[in-house]
Amino acid sequence: MELTCIMCPVGCTLEIKKVGKNVTVTGNGCPRGEEYGKKEVTKPERIVTTLKKYKNGTICLKTDKPIPKKLVDKCLKTIKDSPCPKKAKVGEIYIKNILDTTSNIVITSVNE
């Protein structure tokens, strides 16, 4: 499998081979690339960011830590289906412990 490392602006091309539980990463220019490559094939995670309509504008939301990649679509649907708060403040938790991941959805900006 070939991936582009996103851990820094260099964007090394990683070649990843997985045999059983053994993962080998080549092409990385630093240890962070190796760590990223291994994690991407064993337990991929993502930070989720989205917008939601709020009064006459929008609120920007994001997870405060990565969630499993396989839960991203379900996370976005949960956010979409949840009611907007009457008052939104930057830094407030919008949804606590989304999908039992220990990650919270946090308000990052409010545009009215």
Side-chain angles (χ1 to χ4, degrees), residues 49-99:
T49 60
T50 190
L51 301 172
K52 185 168 177 81
K53 288 185 181 180
Y54 175 71
K55 294 184 181 179
N56 295 325
T58 57
I59 54 175
C60 300
L61 305 162
K62 82 180 219 47
T63 53
D64 60 1
K65 55 186 162 190
I67 65 169
K69 184 179 176 183
K70 65 184 179 183
L71 294 178
V72 169
D73 287 342
K74 194 171 182 179
C75 175
L76 290 168
K77 182 169 180 3
T78 301
I79 292 168
K80 179 184 176 199
D81 294 343
S82 64
C84 263
K86 291 187 175 142
K87 290 189 176 186
K89 290 183 184 175
V90 172
E92 285 186 340
I93 294 175
Y94 177 69
I95 300 173
K96 188 173 184 168
N97 191 23
I98 185 95
L99 304 172

Side-chain angles (χ1 to χ4, degrees), residues 5 15 30 36 40 43 51 64 72 75 81 91 95 105 107:
C5 181
E15 183 64 38
C30 71
Y36 168 76
E40 194 61 19
K43 189 182 172 193
L51 301 172
D64 60 1
V72 169
C75 175
D81 294 343
I95 300 173
I105 303 298
I107 299 170

